[in-house]
Amino acid sequence: MQEQLSRRKKVIATRKSQVSALSGLVKCGQCGAGLYIQRKSNNKNVIRNCWKKDPFGNKCSNKGIAESKLIDAILDEIKKYRDELAKIIEKGKGQDKQRNALQKEIASLEKELKGIKAKFERMFEFLEEGIYSKEEYLSRKEKLTNRQKDIESEINILQKQLKKQDAIQDKDKVKLLDMVLNNFDKIVEEEDKNKLFKSIISYVELTRVSNDDEGEITVNFL
C-alpha cells in the first residue's frame, strides 16, 4: 500500500512539473488566484476549478474548462487585437507631419514657459532694487501667472494628442502578433507554445460560473 501511494505521488508530481501551453498564464476571473492545469488520462489538459478560499473558508465557485477550448478563445482574442492595431496604424498613415507639428509647438511653448520663470526671478529682483513699485510688481506678476497657466494647459492638451500619435507608431507589435498566429499550430512542443504566448500575453482571466457556461475570458496583453 505504501509503495502504491509513493508511486502515485511521483506520477502527480511529474504531471504538475510538465509545462503546458498555458502554464503560468491563467488566473481566476472572480478572485484573481492562479488556476492549475491538470493532464488527464487521455493526455489532454484541463484548467481546474478555482481552489482558493476566502478568510471564512468559502471556496471560490469559478469553474474550469478544457485547455483546448481556452486556447481557441485566446487565439481569437489575439486576432481581434491584431486587427484593431492594424486599423489604428492604417488610420495613422500620413500623419507624420501632424506629429512633427505637435512636437514643434510643444517645444515652442516649453521655451516660452522657461522664459516666464526667468521673468519671475527678474521681477522680484527689480522689486527689491526699487525699480518696480509693489503695485507694478503685482500687476506684472498676475499677467505672467495667467500666461503661465494658459501655456501649461496648452502643453497638456498637445501632449495628449502626441501620445495618441505615438500609439499609432507601434507596428512591431502587429508583426509579433502575426508571428504568433502564423506559427502557433505548427509548434509541437507545449513548452515552446507557452513561450510564444508569454511573448505577447501577461495573463488571461477566466470566468465561468457553471459547467453549462461557455465562459468569458479577458486577455491582458503585454
Side-chain angles (χ1 to χ4, degrees), residues 62-192:
N62 205 26
K63 303 297 182 183
I65 195 171
E67 187 188 50
S68 59
K69 287 186 178 180
L70 186 54
I71 286 174
D72 288 342
I74 291 171
L75 291 172
D76 285 342
E77 289 301 310
I78 292 173
K79 189 175 187 309
K80 288 177 186 176
Y81 182 51
R82 183 259 174 225
D83 291 343
E84 287 172 5
L85 283 179
K87 285 180 182 178
I88 292 172
I89 292 170
E90 184 64 29
K91 188 178 179 182
K93 281 185 178 178
Q95 293 188 353
D96 286 343
K97 289 183 179 179
Q98 184 179 351
R99 188 174 185 277
N100 292 336
L102 286 170
Q103 288 177 322
K104 287 181 180 178
E105 194 169 352
I106 290 171
S108 176
L109 288 170
E110 286 177 339
K111 185 177 179 181
E112 186 179 350
L113 191 61
K114 189 177 180 180
I116 286 176
K117 290 177 181 178
K119 286 181 180 178
F120 273 123
E121 293 176 4
R122 289 199 301 272
M123 281 169 46
F124 186 72
E125 289 174 1
F126 289 167
L127 176 65
E128 287 185 320
E129 293 171 5
I131 299 174
Y132 285 164
S133 64
K134 184 178 179 181
E135 291 75 16
E136 188 176 4
Y137 168 76
L138 291 174
S139 175
R140 288 176 179 271
K141 183 182 177 182
E142 184 181 4
K143 288 179 181 178
L144 280 179
T145 300
N146 290 336
R147 179 55 185 158
Q148 183 182 30
K149 289 180 180 178
D150 289 341
I151 291 173
E152 288 172 345
S153 177
E154 287 179 54
I155 289 174
N156 186 45
I157 292 170
L158 291 171
Q159 284 176 335
K160 286 180 180 178
Q161 292 177 6
L162 185 60
K163 191 174 181 180
K164 290 180 181 178
Q165 291 290 320
D166 287 338
I168 295 170
Q169 309 303 314
D170 197 359
K171 298 178 183 178
D172 290 339
K173 188 168 283 187
V174 172
K175 291 179 182 178
L176 184 57
L177 294 169
D178 281 336
M179 186 270 291
V180 172
L181 291 169
N182 293 333
N183 291 286
F184 187 82
D185 289 334
K186 300 175 186 177
I187 296 173
V188 177
E189 297 295 330
E190 292 289 302
E191 188 173 355
D192 292 333

